[in-house]
Structure formats: structure tokens, C-alpha cells
Amino acid sequence: MSTKGQLYVGIIIICTLIATIGCKKSNGDQPLYDITKTVVDDSAMVVTAHPEATRIGLEILKAGGNAVDASIAVQMALAVCYPVAGNIGGGGFMIYRDNMGNAYSLDYREKAPSAAFPDMYLDSLKNPIDKLSTKGHLAAGVPGTVDGMYRAFQRFSKLKDWKRLIQPAIDLAENGYKVTERQAGAYNRYQDDFKKYNTQDHAFTGEWEKGQLLIQKNLAETLKRIRDNGRDGFYTGKTAELLVAEMNRGNGMITLEDLQNYESKWRDPIKTTYRGHTVISMPPPSSGGIALSQLLSMVEPYNLRQMGFQSPESVHLIVEAERRVYADRAEYLGDPDFFSVPIDTLTSKYYTASRMADFNKEKASVSDSTEAGVIESEETTHYSILDPYGNAVSMTTTLNGGFGSTTIVGGGGFFLNNEMDDFSIKPGVPNMFGLVGAEANKVEAGKRMLSSMTPSIVEKDGSLYIVVGTPGGSTIITSVFQTIINIIDYDMSATEAVQAPRFHSQWLPDMIFHEDDALSEETRMALSEMGHELSQRGKIGKVEAILVSEGGKVVEGAADIRADDDAKGF
Ligand code: DON
């Protein structure tokens, strides 16, 4: 490894220690949770955003469940212990690779309600109405999570015991869990929104402190209905009625029929090759798989390692690739059930080479359009799971913004997503992540909004190699991309690859965003001279990765040091 690489290892060890100690110290010397950021084991691994969810996933694996079983239990657990993004009122995507090498992708993305229409967030002058697509009842799409989990269970469960998978989340909701310092801070910060967009009592009211117990009785009852009735426990009966009653209180659109008609879908994953590896990722309605495939193909002809890690040359190359990829995203990507996405063309190496034909090694090109802001937000969640049988799940799930629409279903105890903002509410008008779009991603009844979520799995020599994903809105694609090249091109371990500082660019705004320590002053100056604009921002992504090496005998789990994420294995 280079001297720079060694320096990183040093920094990472120190950061890991600080993060670990930080999480362990609470209520005097009592550890709140036993959080581990890096684990090397030989069989199974669970890496999630919250130690309670990691614990539950591991318990399911130890009880004989497979990666799909564990991922269902983790999804439900996160809805309780990580409500900022974990959910039953949202949606997500699963990439599943079984131990025979078969790969599947499950789309449990939310859908626009049947009453939705293209201009629904615009006023009479066709201008966007402030916060209408991001807060409150009208921001919510029809949730997909419970249908998705039930579908995955029916096809791939090994335990074949749905109740066993839901029960740990019920226990967590009934008995409560201790909120971390970060969580207490978030619950306090969102109190105004919770008041503004809710009329019914809920569990989040009040002033929160680290270590305080959060008990969610209404959520426990909803989860019991899901436990006892499967999919119907959410989409029909009492839960559905509570959800529709909530809609009626706040001018929302979701109806009982919308809930009954929701269907998650198995889709063909996007597959691409990169330096001899096979990369498996999410197809539309996520842009993630196509964009990741394009980025990898665009940089593949260049020797990134020789250019140097986060050197002016490599950052320039990557940013120029990102400019082209995000421009394509805005134009061509949307729900494939509504818009014919040219997947084969966009992912062909011939096409990506032609897109890079005008790449100038010395000069930045220009994204000519109005600038848009990028909101910093960590509020999606990813988890990576490997079971002892060699099956792996890469799963990203979200409410979109922090606590979604911030509306909680009265009596149901769960947050509703604000995923409708992922549509292009007006051509060229940026969404909360600064992403623009047009026809392909306009609002239409029953359509899925375009996503950036990029749950991914990489194979090496036909065997499982990397399981990876992250939250981060538009930065998801670039964070997954950087983690993969960190491992493949820069020879990093999973821990080094996950903890390494990141940068991001997305065509519009025409800017390189970077974490505090991502680019040296020299690199920043060289990039400015090439014509790039740079802007330092807060943390980018929270990557959860698993790296499998030595013929499957060594399994490294890496949980991002940027938050409370926890990796455990056996
Ligand atoms: O599907 C998407 O791309 C977004 N709804 C993801 C939102 C997200 O990652 C928020 N966290 N930063």
C-alpha cells in the first residue's frame, strides 16, 4: 500500500477508536451499545445503521435463517429503532445473490397514489408550492415495504416463519430501546415539524436525551397486525383504515384501493463488468445500477491507481464522468413501467466511451443550466448481510427525507414517506437533492418515482466479493462507486474503503462537493485551475460494506464511522 494508504489506515484506526469510545460512553461509564465498526470473521456478517437492528439480524442468522430472513427482520427492526429512515411507511430495493450465483432484485419502491397528476405540486402560475412535495400528507407515496418483505419471504425464506421475523421488532417497540445521542438530537430538531404535520398523539413528542427509552405502543400494535396477517396486516383492515383516516385529516391522496393495489416487483438486476469483476445493482426505477455501471465503464480505460488516490487527475476524471452520468439520469431515467428507459444503450461500453470522447484531461467541461442546491441529509438507510450459507443481501430502504413527510399515522405509530419529491415536479426544477428531471420522471398516477438508491454486490472470479450500499440521496451513487474503486483500484480493505473521505459531483449544480478531509489543498488548487468549483460540505453517505476474500474464508464487515452504524459477525 502507498504511504498515503498507510496514513489512511492510521487515521481510520484512530477514528474508529474515537467513534467506538464515543458510542460506549453514556450514563457515566455504562456503555449504551456495544458498537463495532470493523469485524473480521469467517462465516456470517450483518452491518446496519443501528446496533439493535444488527443484533436482531444476527439472531435470525444464528437461529438458522438465511440472509433474506435476516433482512426482513432488520427492515422491521429499523422501522422501530431507526425511525428517521427505517420504515414500514416507505420503500426500498433489495439485491439478493444466492450461493449458486443467481442474482435477483426486488423493487418495493413507493408508487404515486391513483389521484396523482403531473402538476399536483404547482400553483396556478405553474410554480412549485413550497414544501408540498416534501412535508405532510401530500408528500407521501403508497408505501411498498411490507409488500416487499412479504414477497421476499414467500420466495426465499429458509426459516419459513414470518412471525419469528416480525416479533423482535414488536418486542423492541413494546419494551423500548435507548436512543443514542445522535437520535436524541434528531428527535429534538424535528419537534417543530412533528407538531406542524401531525394532529394526533405520538411517541416522539418531548425533549429527548441520550439513553432515554423510546417506547412505541401504536407501532407495536401495527407490527402485530403485520405479524398475524402478513401483507394484509398493512394494506387492508385496521392499519389501512388508520392510514387513510390520517390522509383525510391532512388532505392526502392515498386511498384504501391504492393500498390494496400496491405490488412490489422482482426485476432483472443491472449487471456490468469492471476490471474483470461483475457488478450487480438495482435497475430502474432506481437510477443507481445504470449510473454506477456508467461511471465504472467511463473510468475503466484509465489507470486510477497510477493517477493516485484523490489526486487532481483522478478526481477530475471521476467528476467529468459524473457530469455525463447525472445529465443522462435527468433525461432518460424514470419508472420503466411508464417510460421506455434505454437501459441497454446507457450501459453499453460503446455508449459510455462515446460520452467520454470529449473528455479533456486538463480542463473541466461546463454543465450549462441554472444552479441548484444540494441538501445534506443522511436519511435513508442501507444494510449488508451475509449468511453462513454464502447468500448475500444488499438492501437500501428509505422514507426519503429525515422522518419522511414527518407525518405519523395517527394510532398506527409509523412515519409516512415523502418520496413524491423524488419525482420531477416540474421540468428542470431541482428536488431536495438538487436533482433535476423531466418527462421520464414526471408525476403520474400509479408510477414509481426515480431513485438513486444503489444496493450492490460485486463478484470476483465468479464468487461473492463485495456487498455494499449507502444512504445519501443523490450522493448514493458516487459513494458506492468510490467504495468499489477504493477496493478494486486502490487495494483498500473494506474498512479503509468505507472510512476514506468522499467527494461528490452531479452535473448540476456544477460543483465538486467534498468532505472536510477528502481533498488536499494542493489537489483543490489544481482542480480549481482546471476550472472546477469546489465546496466543502458535511458527511457524505454512510456506507455499510462486507468484503469476502480467500475463497470465502475471511469476511470483513465495515460499518461507517460517520454515525452509530454497527457491524457484527460470527
Ligand atoms: O430514492 C432516493 O434516491 C432517495 N429517496 C433517497 C433519499 C436518501 O438517501 C436520503 N438520505 N440522504
Side-chain angles (χ1 to χ4, degrees):
M1 192 184 294
S2 65
T3 326
K4 202 163 179 184
Q6 283 164 351
L7 186 65
Y8 269 123
V9 179
I11 293 169
I12 285 155
I13 290 169
I14 293 165
C15 291
T16 307
L17 282 175
I18 292 169
T20 308
I21 292 164
C23 292
K24 285 189 171 181
K25 291 253 176 199
S26 76
N27 300 343
D29 277 323
Q30 281 301 311
L32 197 54
Y33 291 107
D34 164 30
I35 288 182
T36 36
K37 296 297 181 188
T38 179
V39 179
V40 177
D41 235 305
D42 61 4
S43 176
M45 192 64 63
V46 178
V47 195
T48 85
H50 197 280
E52 293 282 17
T54 297
R55 172 183 62 75
I56 287 169
L58 216 64
E59 276 171 17
I60 295 293
L61 293 184
K62 285 186 174 163
N66 63 11
V68 171
D69 288 318
S71 73
I72 295 166
V74 167
Q75 171 85 49
M76 296 298 171
L78 287 168
V80 181
C81 65
Y82 196 69
V84 68
N87 66 83
I88 52 173
F93 299 119
M94 168 196 271
I95 295 289
Y96 173 52
R97 182 187 181 279
D98 69 20
N99 53 13
M100 305 293 288
N102 303 303
Y104 308 86
S105 74
L106 178 63
D107 163 7
Y108 58 101
R109 182 73 161 166
E110 300 90 326
K111 292 172 96 166
S114 52
F117 57 96
D119 289 353
M120 64 184 276
Y121 297 109
L122 308 182
D123 64 17
S124 55
L125 299 173
K126 305 270 182 218
N127 292 319
I129 301 169
D130 191 35
K131 296 200 173 66
L132 206 58
S133 65
T134 57
K135 297 282 181 192
H137 302 65
L138 211 54
V142 184
T145 295
V146 177
D147 189 82
M149 293 310 95
Y150 203 64
R151 196 169 298 274
F153 170 77
Q154 286 177 312
R155 185 162 180 194
F156 289 118
S157 174
K158 180 166 180 291
L159 277 183
K160 304 216 182 303
D161 184 353
W162 174 254
K163 293 186 178 178
R164 170 77 180 85
L165 304 181
I166 313 303
Q167 191 59 45
I170 297 172
D171 296 342
L172 207 52
E174 262 183 341
N175 304 330
Y177 72 96
K178 290 179 181 167
V179 304
T180 66
E181 189 167 2
R182 266 192 195 85
Q183 291 185 304
Y187 301 167
N188 291 336
R189 270 197 313 281
Y190 275 85
Q191 285 300 320
D192 288 349
D193 278 351
F194 293 160
K195 277 197 197 96
K196 194 163 171 188
Y197 299 105
N198 290 287
T199 54
Q200 309 295 295
D201 289 345
H202 59 81
F204 293 85
T205 310
E207 175 86 13
W208 291 88
E209 274 179 24
K210 173 176 161 185
Q212 202 175 326
L213 211 57
L214 172 57
I215 292 174
Q216 300 171 79
K217 293 279 184 212
N218 287 338
L219 179 57
E221 293 309 311
T222 298
L223 289 167
K224 284 179 194 169
R225 289 190 289 274
I226 295 169
R227 175 195 64 192
D228 297 339
N229 303 304
R231 177 199 185 277
D232 289 347
F234 186 87
Y235 293 92
T236 63
K238 179 152 184 197
T239 313
E241 282 158 20
L242 289 171
L243 198 158
V244 171
E246 187 57 57
M247 286 288 119
N248 294 338
R249 277 191 287 273
N251 207 20
M253 276 185 172
I254 301 173
T255 62
L256 284 174
E257 291 71 38
D258 287 335
L259 290 167
Q260 266 157 25
N261 293 338
Y262 180 85
E263 272 194 335
S264 53
K265 276 194 172 178
W266 295 104
R267 298 189 186 271
D268 292 335
I270 297 288
K271 285 193 180 181
T272 193
T273 56
Y274 181 65
R275 302 198 201 285
H277 301 73
T278 301
V279 180
I280 306 160
S281 192
M282 196 64 211
S286 182
S287 60
I290 291 181
L292 176 65
S293 149
Q294 289 188 306
L295 283 176
L296 292 168
S297 297
M298 285 180 186
V299 304
E300 198 174 22
Y302 301 87
N303 190 333
L304 282 174
R305 188 196 302 236
Q306 213 166 59
M307 285 177 166
F309 178 69
Q310 291 176 0
S311 66
E313 294 75 22
S314 65
V315 175
H316 174 58
L317 168 67
I318 290 167
V319 167
E320 289 302 317
E322 289 170 353
R323 191 191 308 281
R324 289 156 177 80
V325 166
Y326 279 84
D328 281 2
R329 181 193 191 280
E331 187 66 24
Y332 298 118
L333 296 193
D335 182 347
D337 296 343
F338 282 73
F339 184 87
S340 167
V341 180
I343 298 181
D344 292 343
T345 305
L346 291 172
T347 54
S348 83
K349 303 249 180 203
Y350 176 78
Y351 174 78
T352 49
S354 74
R355 288 289 276 143
M356 288 297 276
D358 61 349
F359 168 62
N360 180 332
K361 283 186 182 161
E362 266 125 48
K363 202 167 171 305
S365 40
V366 180
S367 309
D368 55 347
S369 188
T370 41
E371 294 216 337
V374 175
I375 287 188
E376 292 175 23
S377 160
E378 302 293 324
E379 321 316 358
T380 289
T381 188
H382 177 84
Y383 51 99
S384 296
I385 298 180
L386 171 67
D387 69 26
Y389 321 104
N391 309 296
V393 165
S394 183
M395 192 116 137
T396 314
T397 180
T398 191
L399 291 163
N400 195 22
F403 306 98
S405 60
T406 66
T407 294
I408 302 165
V409 170
F414 59 94
F415 284 97
L416 287 169
N417 67 83
N418 60 343
E419 219 73 64
M420 292 295 281
D421 190 63
D422 272 350
F423 279 117
S424 168
I425 61 168
K426 183 180 173 180
V429 169
N431 74 356
M432 74 161 95
F433 303 109
L435 292 166
V436 291
E439 190 66 17
N441 190 32
K442 71 177 181 198
V443 184
E444 289 177 83
K447 186 177 181 181
R448 287 165 156 97
M449 52 300 282
L450 185 62
S451 172
S452 300
M453 293 192 281
T454 316
S456 301
I457 288 181
V458 182
E459 294 173 348
K460 185 178 181 180
D461 303 326
S463 299
L464 181 69
Y465 187 40
I466 306 168
V467 187
V468 61
T470 182
S474 54
T475 68
I476 290 174
I477 298 162
T478 50
S479 294
V480 170
F481 166 77
Q482 283 173 77
T483 309
I484 291 174
I485 62 167
N486 285 351
I487 294 172
I488 294 180
D489 290 273
Y490 296 111
D491 254 347
M492 292 188 191
S493 66
T495 305
E496 291 163 351
V498 167
Q499 317 308 7
R502 293 189 269 268
F503 62 93
H504 168 76
S505 191
Q506 59 178 46
W507 177 51
L508 293 173
D510 194 347
M511 181 82 71
I512 303 175
F513 297 94
H514 61 91
E515 290 184 320
D516 183 15
D517 46 355
L519 307 173
S520 68
E521 200 183 329
E522 255 180 320
T523 301
R524 293 200 305 272
M525 275 171 59
L527 287 165
S528 298
E529 275 164 28
M530 290 178 190
H532 291 286
E533 268 196 65
L534 292 104
S535 167
Q536 186 184 317
R537 54 157 280 181
K539 293 167 189 153
I540 299 179
K542 287 194 292 160
V543 176
E544 320 288 10
I546 299 173
L547 182 64
V548 182
S549 53
E550 295 181 29
K553 289 198 280 293
V554 177
V555 181
E556 182 192 0
D560 208 310
I561 52 170
R562 291 164 179 82
D564 301 324
D565 314 48
D566 182 32
K568 295 269 188 317
F570 61 84

